[in-house]
Amino acid sequence: METTQTSIGHTLEIACDESGWEGSNLTAGNSDVIAHASVRLDINVASECIRALRGRSRQHSYEYKASHLLRTKSGSDLAGFLGPSGPVHGRAMVHLTHKSCFVLGRVLDLFIGGSADAASLGLRPDQRLANLAATLCRAGPDTFGREPWQAFLTATNVVLRADRHRRVRAPVDAFFGQVEALRALAGGRQVGRILDELRDGRREAYAARARLLEDRALQPVLEPLLPALARAVLHWSGGLHPVAVVHDEQSALTERRMRRLEQILAAPPLEMIRLPAQGRFIRFRQADSRTDPRVQVADVLAGVARKIVTDDLLGRSDPGLTALLRPYVDPASRWCEQLADPSGRTAG
């Protein structure tokens, strides 16, 4: 690993929080969206931001949440928060994860893609497979019907999830049973060809699941917060400046996983950060969002972003709010819909 003389004294500090994370069962939660927000704000600026939001909404409980901002009668408060003159504009980023698209991308990656996506923390996915996952995700419900599609997603989640019995063959066989059920409904559609390719990876699937069970603690394939946090670190650091992350309390982000994240980012084939001569590149601590106003701002931004993009998925989007959110959206978000970033590329 290459090192640089970057001083730990030049560490940047960012605050992060998420909205929509519900554990490793990604296909049966209350939300199909995770929004992970990172902000770089002075603590005094963040405190003033929360005070201003609280005052406008007349909300006096201990913690100010996105729901309070979303419930305000005046849409101008939300537009003011996100807009060019708002407190977080140019000082925040949001990484979006469409849970179904993420799960489909990971199963294609593990069973036919050589695990490039999982091994790189989502930073170097096979773009062809990512596009196939997005195509399958978009077409699935209408092509196959809601119940068959949900049964397939459930089996997909199970085959990627560790269980206490450490079973290899049974979850794989159940998954490919659902693949065959959908193939029978696909006809000559493009999604049928995607399922054909997936079916051909059955032999590799047993070996891939066995590997998954061996490395589940440090590199769980069903943990979208790790790639989201990796993207935040790279965005703010440029790969050169050490980063101190203050994150809302989150059981998925352990110290061991943070060390693994740093190692993967620094080592070949990624080599996306340069380790300092002394100390860590990523310093990580968790804080209750109620006690750190910067984390609370990140929490508000994540919640607002999740609501806006969820409405977009459900066909009830507000074009004005979607346009205000776009400058914040990480272009490497795991997204299957046509939510473009400001340069015109599609996030996902």
Side-chain angles (χ1 to χ4, degrees):
M1 298 181 189
E2 184 180 358
T3 62
T4 179
Q5 294 302 312
T6 302
S7 168
I8 200 71
H10 295 125
T11 300
L12 306 173
E13 190 164 52
I14 61 172
C16 304
D17 202 354
E18 53 73 28
S19 178
W21 185 87
E22 299 172 282
S24 60
N25 190 351
L26 298 180
T27 61
N30 295 316
S31 171
D32 200 27
V33 175
I34 300 173
H36 183 272
S38 56
V39 302
R40 189 181 179 200
L41 289 174
D42 179 89
I43 196 165
N44 293 324
V45 173
S47 295
E48 179 55 38
C49 174
I50 294 298
R51 278 196 295 270
L53 291 172
R54 192 188 299 275
R56 283 197 292 268
S57 68
R58 297 181 181 179
Q59 191 276 331
H60 301 293
S61 66
Y62 186 45
E63 184 177 16
Y64 188 86
K65 303 290 287 183
S67 58
H68 299 129
L69 181 56
L70 292 165
R71 284 200 301 264
T72 56
K73 294 181 180 179
S74 173
S76 63
D77 288 348
L78 183 53
F81 177 70
L82 293 174
S85 60
V88 291
H89 194 269
R91 293 183 270 189
M93 185 184 79
V94 177
H95 182 90
L96 300 173
T97 301
H98 187 272
K99 295 180 184 178
S100 298
C101 192
F102 179 84
V103 169
L104 292 170
R106 282 293 163 91
V107 82
L108 289 168
D109 173 60
L110 264 70
F111 291 177
I112 63 178
S115 302
D117 184 43
S120 69
L121 297 173
L123 299 173
R124 293 273 179 86
D126 181 317
Q127 196 56 53
R128 184 184 75 88
L129 294 181
N131 291 338
L132 292 182
T135 298
L136 189 58
C137 187
R138 285 195 294 268
D142 291 338
T143 301
F144 305 114
R146 186 163 299 278
E147 289 188 11
W149 179 245
Q150 187 58 45
F152 170 70
L153 287 178
T154 300
T156 304
N157 199 103
V158 169
V159 81
L160 296 177
R161 193 178 185 184
D163 65 43
R164 60 190 180 90
H165 300 296
R166 299 177 63 83
R167 299 174 301 160
V168 173
R169 297 193 68 87
V172 173
D173 292 340
F175 168 75
F176 281 101
Q178 292 298 325
V179 170
E180 293 298 336
L182 292 193
R183 286 183 67 249
L185 300 171
R189 298 182 181 91
Q190 181 185 4
V191 289
R193 293 190 290 274
I194 298 172
L195 294 169
D196 289 343
E197 185 172 354
L198 186 54
R199 178 196 57 180
D200 293 341
R202 183 169 189 151
R203 180 177 297 178
E204 170 58 24
Y206 295 115
R209 177 156 173 84
R211 290 194 302 270
L212 179 156
L213 294 174
E214 290 300 317
D215 204 22
R216 69 190 187 282
L218 288 182
Q219 197 166 315
V221 298
L222 284 179
E223 191 41 78
L225 291 186
L226 290 174
L229 185 58
R231 286 291 304 171
V233 167
L234 293 172
H235 172 79
W236 296 108
S237 72
L240 297 174
H241 305 288
V243 176
V245 178
V246 183
H247 204 291
D248 187 37
E249 295 171 340
Q250 172 53 254
S251 60
L253 302 176
T254 65
E255 180 60 27
R256 289 179 68 201
R257 287 177 179 173
M258 293 303 100
R259 288 183 178 274
R260 178 70 171 266
L261 185 153
E262 182 176 280
Q263 291 166 0
I264 291 173
L265 290 179
L270 292 183
E271 298 182 288
M272 300 177 84
I273 64 174
R274 293 183 179 182
L275 297 178
Q278 297 179 343
R280 300 274 302 280
F281 189 92
I282 303 171
R283 291 191 290 168
F284 182 82
R285 67 180 177 90
Q286 302 198 45
D288 190 323
S289 61
R290 295 171 295 181
T291 65
D292 191 311
R294 298 166 302 175
V295 176
Q296 201 168 152
V297 171
D299 178 51
V300 171
L301 178 59
V304 164
R306 183 169 71 88
K307 178 63 165 63
I308 291 172
V309 299
T310 297
D311 285 349
D312 195 62
L313 284 174
L314 295 174
R316 56 186 190 217
S317 64
D318 182 321
L321 291 179
T322 301
L324 286 174
L325 180 65
R326 280 180 182 147
Y328 297 91
V329 175
D330 179 8
S333 294
R334 189 58 59 92
W335 201 251
C336 69
E337 298 297 336
Q338 301 300 311
L339 184 70
D341 77 281
S343 66
R345 295 171 295 178
T346 298

